[in-house]
Amino acid sequence: MDKTYEPHAIEQRWYAFWEERGYFAPSGQGAPYCIMIPPPNVTGTLHMGHAFQDTIMDALTRYYRMKGYNALWQPGTDHAGIATQMVVERQLAAEGKTRHDLGREDFIERVWAWKAESGGTITRQLRRMGASVDWARERFTMDEGLSAAVREVFVRLYEEGLIYRGQRLVNWDPVLRTAVSDLEVASAEENGFLWHIRYPLAEGGGDLVVATTRPETMLGDTAVAVHPDDERYQRLIGLHVALPLAGRRIPVIADEYVDPTFGTGCVKITPAHDFNDYAVGQRHKLPLLNIFTADARINENGPEAYRGLDRFEARRRVVGDLEELGLLDETRPHKLMVPRGDRSHAVIEPFLTDQWYVKTGPLAGPAIAAVKTGRIRFIPENWEKTYFDWLNRIEDWCISRQIWWGHRIPAWYDAQGRIYVGRGEAEVREKHRLGPEVALTQDPDVLDTWFSSALWPFSTLGWPERTEALDTFYPTSVLVTGFDIIFFWVARMIMMGLKFMGDVPYREVYIHGLVRDQDGQKMSKSKGNVLDPLDIIDGVDLDELVAKRTTGLMQPQMAPRIEKATRKQFPAGIHAHGTDALRFTFAALATTGRDIVFDMGRVEGYRNFCNKLWNAARYVLMNAEGRDTGAGGGDIELSQADRWILSRLQHAIAEANAAVRDYRFDQMAQALYEFTWNEFCDWYLELSKPVLTDPASSEAAQRGTRRTLVQVLETLLRLLHPLMPFVTEEIWQRVAPLAGKIPSNPPLEKGGAEGGGISIMLQPYPEVDPTLVDEAVVAEIEWLRQFLAGVRRIRSEMNIAPGKPLPVLLQQGSDEDRERLERHRRALATLGRLDAVAWLGESEPAPEAATALVGAMKILIPMAGLIDKAAEIARLTREVARLRQEAERGAAKLGNADFLGRAPAEVVEKERVRVAELQLAATKLEAQLTRIRHL
RNA sequence: GGGUGCUUAGCUCAGUUGGGAGAGCAUCGCCCUUACAAGGCGAGGGGCGGGGGUUCAAGUCCCUCAGCACCCACCA
């Protein structure tokens, strides 16, 4: 093995190996385990959120695959209607064209071409992450099969009356010129004005004043409303006002909707351009007067002077004209909630159009019940509340979009405007007996992207065909996704799954947090704080990073600021860390239900961890390759250290398994990190050295240690594999033959893989072997660690050179201490750099020495020429004070009758033991202190 | 206006049924000891956001206040 860990050199090789051999496909054996990937935008690129999510899904898939499940991670991509269309339209704009210049067919062809060109990016990146998806089953939401599923669902829902077409107010994006759903609109507070406008009474006798934030909509007013109990305006109810500028006469009505305490207590009612006013209009049977075109200019229903004006220009003109007429009472600054489209960021306009809707009421009920009854479990649980709240107030879902890229709505119209819905034009003609003489035109609209996404868990498995895959993998095991799409996607998948499959789409929903930047900010292109997962994997130099962050900005003026911040944060660019380190970082940060603040320091730490593992493996191989590891028979003798590490390994195995079951990847990562570094490397490898290097140790003992080294490492690699697939595979290919997992002859020469073709990813995940758990041995090694810790502390605090051999005297040891010393004499000498260890009789005079305790046994390091007496006195004084303080606290507790009377006996006993130990230690050290002082 | 989450070491975060405050990084000291300087050995550092309550015992349970973040909502 190379001396240093070079992730780049191993990662691509192993991925290709796995993929070519078809190792990602379900085994066909065992209970099914299935995860559907949330399909990323087909023309998109991998961001940190994907990388995080993919790490979790891959860890789960690899884990359950190793556990013997018939594991499928289903891949695929989404056509992402509006988002993708916008990208292509932007490309056209650069050529000075619009989609209308091309026409619908050519434009769609152009989008397909763009998909062909860029569609491989995200799947390539997914491969770089090590994702073990079954590529043979990759699907795309607009491929033939999924499109058929979409049509099928649409037709069935329509025939049941659960899809209908209707005219009502929708959220209209005047820039994209399409309807969008409520979910695609985000309102935020912005600065505006509240204008007070005087409307003269038509019947004469004065006027009333309305307050509005949108004066231009007055051109569409069809009433003015006051509160029915508002005494100020009682006399006006039933009268009319002469609407300025428009010159229309509209009634004054009374409606509870009006808040008399806000503004003037008079509200202009524009039913065609405001959701509340629409409702008021319905109640009072007011006419709807639409004054906007699709791009929010004043249409022919507006006064001639304003026609063709953009809504904001119209606003300026209306305000100016009112002022001239003396009808503008007041203009005051006002904060208001402005709705904007989440794609275009254009101000959304309530707009009266014909759209297709899904009637959600009948679908929501079962979706609520599925979670209430526990057939679906949210992790963490509290997201259930969010889910219920939304479903309980759900509105019908507007599913039609006036764009071109997407699933065309399977509805046709004849010349009379009659609607025919079917799986295709031929079916429609046949069903309704329409001859070729009847001209039919298909509805030009396409479906909301989320409509096809909602079918993903079953459409990808072949529905509406009844396939084996569907039988095997539906319902799937778990959905891994972010909270931001619980409404968009999760709830709708559950509704559709229950409706069309008669069962839930998955049994668990694991909701993860958002990946934020080092300051806790959301990562976004416009803030210039995004990190590309591949840059963390492969590294990137500073200039390139700056260039990536500053090109293509919506607000180019931000570039200098972004550049400065980037140069400050990454003065040397980003080093290459490798996929395994990045994945391990995500796992370690993945505490449930919490956003993660991404910290490059963590990645570095885990890259070091990979390196540590790599070097530990080098050590093991160096000592085991070509040596007798006991595979060929022969006596085996296990040392205490061997038994200890095997016992601790069982503990790590138990923790790793429990952590995955609880979706606690942070605990899994931490348990394995600690075992690897603090137990296996820091102690076991060190303890193995005296055995292997000492010519006096027996063949059987050496075999035992070599075998243990290999076994523990091999098991550890399997434990780590779901989190760090690459480095574990690379090492495993070399270690496995020594552990008897791979025939040892052919593989190595041919680079391991090509020879044997066996992979760690198909090996069983470790399970606890209770016969290897040995608490007595654990206690003994703990004794040894404390012994060495005592010596090391003295050495460090007394400033004794680490390499200088030290003599040690022991006093007041038990028989057990004596036995343990004999068993570990050589280990202590090596690890502690001790030159002689001898017992000192109870009554023998002790020399001037520094002291440490292991339980009741005293370790004395003679001070002659080595130790600073003053320093030792200071050290002991500190230590005694600490012990006394602790002991006193415990003693006070034991002196409390309530504690003794009410606490469980074992708690009291534990406290007694603890206090006794503290007091004993303090007493011994005090005695030592006195002795030193008097010497 | 509703709802959810968070507040523990300088930073990022663990802390399962209430019973001796932890990890990584950072900091400080000593070491290139042939697996690893991307390392080894050792050390320092915490009023667990404030207040109140329950309990023999509270980071953990209850109430309250404050700050931060996010989600939902029609106040013109």
Side-chain angles (χ1 to χ4, degrees):
Chain A
M1 282 172 77
D2 294 334
K3 188 166 177 197
T4 49
Y5 163 65
E6 297 287 352
H8 200 72
I10 57 180
E11 293 182 354
Q12 270 99 332
R13 180 154 51 89
W14 287 116
Y15 195 87
F17 168 67
W18 298 324
E19 187 177 355
E20 280 161 18
R21 304 241 167 186
Y23 286 169
F24 300 151
S27 64
Q29 309 285 315
Y33 184 86
C34 179
I35 298 178
M36 294 282 162
I37 200 169
N41 182 341
V42 66
T43 61
T45 53
L46 194 83
H47 56 60
M48 292 294 277
H50 292 125
F52 177 37
Q53 191 175 62
D54 293 337
T55 296
I56 292 166
M57 287 186 281
D58 194 48
L60 285 167
T61 305
R62 286 182 185 270
Y63 174 82
Y64 283 101
R65 187 185 289 122
M66 290 174 80
K67 276 283 175 186
Y69 286 78
N70 187 20
L72 168 63
W73 183 10
Q74 168 70 47
T77 50
D78 192 276
H79 67 281
I82 292 177
T84 307
Q85 173 160 329
M86 279 176 73
V87 170
V88 176
E89 287 192 279
R90 217 174 296 142
Q91 293 171 356
L92 286 177
E95 302 166 20
K97 289 188 233 167
T98 72
R99 73 184 208 245
H100 301 282
D101 296 330
L102 271 70
R104 184 163 187 148
E105 267 180 46
D106 286 353
F107 178 76
I108 290 175
E109 212 165 282
R110 176 91 182 222
V111 182
W112 279 105
W114 167 241
K115 182 217 171 227
E117 184 189 327
S118 71
T121 305
I122 196 142
T123 51
R124 268 197 307 279
Q125 292 173 320
L126 208 47
R127 285 176 165 88
R128 289 299 314 280
M129 287 303 297
S132 63
V133 294
D134 185 4
W135 291 111
R137 295 174 193 252
E138 183 181 357
R139 302 305 297 265
F140 172 53
T141 47
M142 275 178 59
D143 68 25
E144 192 36 52
L146 268 61
S147 299
V150 165
R151 289 192 295 270
E152 185 69 26
V153 165
F154 188 96
V155 171
R156 286 202 208 170
L157 288 176
Y158 179 78
E159 287 171 352
E160 267 193 66
L162 291 177
I163 281 184
Y164 63 92
R165 188 170 160 81
Q167 190 184 57
R168 55 168 79 173
L169 277 193
V170 291
N171 293 295
W172 183 263
D173 187 320
V175 169
L176 299 173
R177 298 194 210 181
T178 178
V180 294
S181 75
D182 317 358
L183 290 175
E184 291 161 277
V185 180
S187 293
E189 196 170 75
E190 294 183 17
N191 291 318
F193 296 93
L194 191 61
W195 285 276
H196 286 203
I197 304 170
R198 193 169 292 275
Y199 284 7
L201 288 165
E203 286 84 358
D207 41 31
L208 52 75
V209 179
V210 298
T212 182
T213 55
R214 300 205 53 195
E216 73 282 8
T217 62
M218 71 175 285
L219 303 176
D221 283 0
T222 54
V224 172
V226 296
H227 193 276
D229 303 333
D230 193 333
E231 287 170 13
R232 295 171 293 174
Y233 304 117
Q234 284 297 320
R235 66 172 189 94
L236 301 180
I237 297 168
L239 298 182
H240 298 79
V241 296
L243 186 63
L245 307 180
R248 284 184 287 110
R249 179 184 152 99
I250 58 174
V252 179
I253 59 171
D255 196 283
E256 303 269 347
Y257 156 69
V258 180
D259 176 359
T261 65
F262 186 89
T264 60
C266 295
V267 184
K268 58 191 275 315
I269 301 297
T270 321
H273 296 289
D274 183 281
F275 289 103
N276 289 312
D277 293 5
Y278 181 82
V280 173
Q282 297 288 89
R283 283 198 286 275
H284 296 270
K285 306 212 164 25
L286 296 174
L288 291 153
L289 186 64
N290 175 22
I291 56 156
F292 282 146
T293 61
D295 56 349
R297 294 171 182 279
I298 304 297
N299 69 10
E300 69 283 357
N301 291 330
E304 197 156 349
Y306 303 98
R307 285 181 199 164
L309 292 181
D310 171 80
R311 53 188 161 161
F312 300 112
E313 179 56 25
R315 178 180 302 174
R316 276 188 286 277
R317 293 275 282 274
V318 163
V319 169
D321 292 349
L322 287 170
E323 186 148 37
E324 243 170 67
L325 292 171
L327 295 173
L328 190 64
D329 254 21
E330 203 179 327
T331 303
R332 78 164 70 142
H334 180 72
K335 287 194 193 306
L336 72 161
M337 297 295 278
V338 176
R340 289 181 181 273
D342 62 4
R343 288 293 166 188
S344 66
H345 296 111
V347 174
I348 294 296
E349 203 64 57
F351 195 54
L352 194 61
T353 54
D354 287 303
Q355 302 289 343
W356 291 91
Y357 293 90
V358 171
K359 195 170 168 185
T360 47
L363 299 170
I368 292 169
V371 175
K372 279 247 155 85
T373 57
R375 286 160 68 207
I376 297 178
R377 189 166 79 94
F378 274 81
I379 298 142
E381 222 169 47
N382 52 294
W383 289 109
E384 287 178 1
K385 191 169 164 50
T386 306
Y387 173 84
F388 291 138
D389 286 350
W390 187 70
L391 280 175
N392 282 323
R393 295 178 302 105
I394 193 168
E395 305 260 347
D396 284 357
W397 174 17
C398 175
I399 51 172
S400 44
R401 297 289 179 274
Q402 288 66 51
I403 60 172
W404 289 348
W405 175 241
H407 298 100
R408 187 103 174 240
I409 289 178
W412 286 260
Y413 304 94
D414 63 16
Q416 287 73 42
R418 280 186 289 254
I419 300 172
Y420 305 97
V421 168
R423 289 158 189 82
E425 188 176 332
E427 183 188 293
V428 162
R429 284 186 183 279
E430 194 185 349
K431 193 170 162 195
H432 297 278
R433 299 171 199 283
L434 303 172
E437 74 287 354
V438 181
L440 289 179
T441 49
Q442 188 171 1
D443 192 308
D445 291 353
V446 301
L447 288 164
D448 181 4
T449 298
W450 295 102
F451 190 87
S452 52
S453 313
L455 318 182
W456 188 250
F458 51 92
S459 64
T460 50
L461 295 173
W463 191 91
E465 304 295 316
R466 184 164 175 194
T467 61
E468 203 188 319
L470 212 48
D471 282 344
T472 307
F473 295 112
Y474 194 97
T476 66
S477 308
V478 60
L479 175 78
V480 177
T481 193
F483 60 84
D484 50 328
I485 53 176
I486 290 178
F487 308 145
F488 276 108
W489 195 42
V490 180
R492 289 166 177 170
M493 268 191 288
I494 294 173
M495 291 193 282
M496 291 299 192
L498 289 166
K499 177 73 187 167
F500 290 97
M501 292 298 296
D503 203 349
V504 296
Y506 22 74
R507 308 194 185 285
E508 296 185 314
V509 180
Y510 173 90
I511 301 289
H512 63 248
L514 220 61
V515 181
R516 297 172 172 276
D517 79 357
Q518 69 289 339
D519 302 317
Q521 296 290 310
K522 222 163 149 171
M523 289 191 188
S524 73
K525 176 76 186 161
S526 60
K527 285 186 193 154
N529 62 349
V530 291
L531 286 169
D532 181 339
L534 292 184
D535 286 345
I536 297 171
I537 293 171
D538 295 329
V540 64
D541 68 51
L542 181 57
D543 289 335
E544 198 182 325
L545 180 62
V546 168
K548 277 173 90 163
R549 284 183 164 190
T550 52
T551 49
L553 287 173
M554 291 284 203
Q555 299 170 286
Q557 70 273 19
M558 290 294 288
R561 201 138 119 220
I562 291 171
E563 171 162 1
K564 197 176 158 200
T566 302
R567 288 188 184 279
K568 189 176 169 202
Q569 199 198 344
F570 301 104
I574 298 174
H575 295 292
H577 297 87
T579 300
D580 289 323
L582 178 62
R583 289 174 56 123
F584 202 86
T585 307
F586 282 129
L589 294 172
T591 53
T592 47
R594 197 171 163 142
D595 287 354
I596 64 180
V597 177
F598 195 80
D599 176 6
M600 201 61 81
R602 292 293 280 263
V603 195
E604 275 168 37
Y606 295 126
R607 192 261 324 257
N608 295 352
F609 176 64
C610 292
N611 188 52
K612 189 77 178 174
L613 181 66
W614 181 265
N615 280 295
R618 282 181 59 225
Y619 170 81
V620 173
L621 290 169
M622 207 174 280
N623 284 288
E625 268 177 337
R627 308 280 187 83
D628 182 357
T629 54
D635 287 349
I636 295 273
E637 185 186 316
L638 292 185
S639 69
Q640 296 277 304
D642 296 334
R643 289 189 197 146
W644 171 76
I645 197 66
L646 287 167
S647 184
R648 296 303 300 161
L649 177 64
Q650 306 316 306
H651 179 72
I653 292 170
E655 285 199 283
N657 280 292
V660 181
R661 278 198 298 276
D662 294 342
Y663 295 98
R664 289 301 302 266
F665 301 99
D666 59 324
Q667 291 177 348
M668 181 191 196
Q670 196 185 339
L672 296 177
Y673 182 99
E674 271 174 16
F675 174 77
T676 304
W677 204 307
N678 304 117
E679 302 194 296
F680 186 61
C681 291
D682 285 352
W683 288 98
Y684 182 65
L685 296 190
E686 295 307 321
L687 287 166
S688 76
K689 287 174 185 174
V691 179
L692 297 177
T693 54
D694 186 348
S697 57
S698 72
E699 263 305 308
Q702 295 204 0
R703 265 200 292 275
T705 293
R706 286 195 203 102
R707 192 183 74 176
T708 307
L709 278 169
V710 168
Q711 272 181 358
V712 173
L713 176 60
E714 193 275 334
T715 309
L716 176 59
L717 292 170
R718 283 183 285 127
L719 282 170
L720 284 165
H721 180 75
L723 299 181
M724 310 197 318
F726 295 111
V727 67
T728 51
E729 178 76 283
E730 175 75 16
I731 299 171
W732 189 83
Q733 292 291 336
R734 289 165 176 274
V735 173
L738 302 169
K741 300 271 173 177
I742 293 185
S744 51
N745 350 348
L748 281 181
E749 287 66 31
K750 296 190 184 174
E754 292 74 8
I758 299 173
S759 166
I760 188 175
M761 65 171 282
L762 301 179
Q763 298 298 307
Y765 200 77
E767 286 179 31
V768 173
D769 178 351
T771 65
L772 294 176
V773 176
D774 188 338
E775 292 306 329
V777 153
V778 170
E780 178 151 332
I781 299 297
E782 186 51 36
W783 174 91
L784 182 143
R785 288 168 68 164
Q786 276 179 28
F787 193 124
L788 286 168
V791 173
R792 284 170 175 171
R793 210 174 306 124
I794 290 170
R795 190 188 283 278
S796 178
E797 290 179 17
M798 295 297 108
N799 263 319
I800 302 167
K804 183 171 178 60
L806 290 178
V808 169
L809 294 171
L810 300 176
Q811 208 175 22
Q812 298 167 0
S814 63
D815 289 346
E816 191 177 46
D817 289 326
R818 289 173 187 271
E819 287 164 21
R820 285 174 169 172
L821 174 68
E822 290 319 308
R823 278 198 287 272
H824 301 292
R825 204 172 253 287
R826 199 167 56 243
L828 288 168
T830 312
L831 273 59
R833 304 256 162 175
L834 306 178
D835 68 353
V837 181
W839 287 98
L840 193 64
E842 218 48 42
S843 50
E844 282 181 71
E848 191 173 2
T851 308
L853 293 173
V854 180
M857 181 177 75
K858 279 169 91 168
I859 299 175
L860 299 169
I861 295 178
M863 296 168 84
L866 292 174
I867 291 171
D868 178 347
K869 185 168 160 181
E872 176 64 1
I873 288 171
R875 195 181 73 84
L876 286 174
T877 307
R878 256 197 337 265
E879 184 65 8
V880 168
R882 191 187 64 81
L883 291 168
R884 283 283 177 226
Q885 197 189 353
E886 273 293 297
E888 267 166 41
R889 250 173 47 187
K893 226 165 153 183
L894 291 168
N896 182 341
D898 285 329
F899 175 68
L900 296 178
R902 305 207 184 205
E906 76 234 35
V907 172
V908 175
E909 182 54 27
K910 204 172 146 193
E911 193 63 18
R912 276 214 175 91
V913 171
R914 197 174 80 89
V915 169
E917 281 171 356
L918 286 166
Q919 281 171 342
L920 178 68
T923 307
K924 290 199 177 206
L925 292 182
E926 255 167 0
Q928 178 65 14
L929 196 50
T930 320
R931 197 168 319 137
I932 296 182
R933 282 215 175 96
H934 293 270
L935 277 167

